[in-house]
Amino acid sequence: MKFTDKNVLLFDLDGTLIDSVPDLALSINQMLHELDMKPYPTDTIRSWVGNGAAVLTKRALSGHIDINPDLDPAYVEKALSIFLAYYEQNVCVDTTLYPNVKSTLETLHRDGYRLVIVTNKPEQFVRPILKHLGLDNLFEMVVGGDSLPKRKPDPMQLIYVCETLGVKASSCLMIGDSKNDIFAATAAEMQSIGLTYGYNHGEDINSHGASLVLDNFADIIEALAPVAESAH
């Protein structure tokens, strides 16, 4: 499949551009330790990532991807503040870029695509990570999980990008690793690319209705090749 009419590319962050689980897991386990609760293996915490900091905190307190409905809201707020404080200190220690991400983004940027981050991660953490990994000059806009009242899978963030940049959803493409990205794109009437390597809670990304599913980030260039060629 070739996308021939796109000029704005919206990228999820965690699980799409970066593997942030090592730092998230470290901070979650530091939070649990402070609350006298048992830590969890990194791979367990990996399965909880993708819906923002508050949901990750609730899953850690529940010890399960399904959140305990009896969690005390005040206790959750306390835990969340502890987690965010630790994460702020460790936001990009062992976080790494997935293969081919930087070179692909640089190529897309050079070819004239407008690049945007749309993530459920709190906005305060996004730019420090982009700066640390040398990506901070590539993105025209960053929309975090707390930038607006709603976040993915709600389409609000994607619609906000279209309105802010003055573009139609049909000229945009949402690229992410989870059903939240695909569902948000579908609701915003935007086409999407699903990536198979990220965090999708053990579910097959093929099952969520993405316009195209790729294993390798670099293959995005090929999917957009006609536009890139016509731009020159």
Side-chain angles (χ1 to χ4, degrees), residues 6-21:
K6 309 302 177 191
N7 54 39
V8 179
L9 306 180
L10 287 65
F11 293 92
D12 175 52
L13 184 62
D14 300 68
T16 297
L17 305 184
I18 63 170
D19 183 6
S20 53
V21 165

Side-chain angles (χ1 to χ4, degrees), residues 48-71:
W48 298 342
V49 170
N51 298 92
V55 173
L56 177 58
T57 299
K58 290 175 187 175
R59 285 172 172 161
L61 295 176
S62 304
H64 200 274
I65 193 168
D66 296 324
I67 293 166
N68 180 351
D70 298 323
L71 287 175

Side-chain angles (χ1 to χ4, degrees), residues 30-45:
Q30 287 175 316
M31 174 198 83
L32 291 170
H33 177 75
E34 189 164 325
L35 296 172
D36 294 321
M37 297 177 69
K38 67 171 185 174
Y40 289 94
T42 298
D43 282 346
T44 300
I45 296 171

Side-chain angles (χ1 to χ4, degrees), residues 212-231:
L212 179 67
V213 173
L214 298 174
D215 298 321
N216 187 332
F217 193 85
D219 290 342
I220 294 168
I221 295 173
E222 180 64 25
L224 292 162
V227 180
E229 287 162 10
S230 66

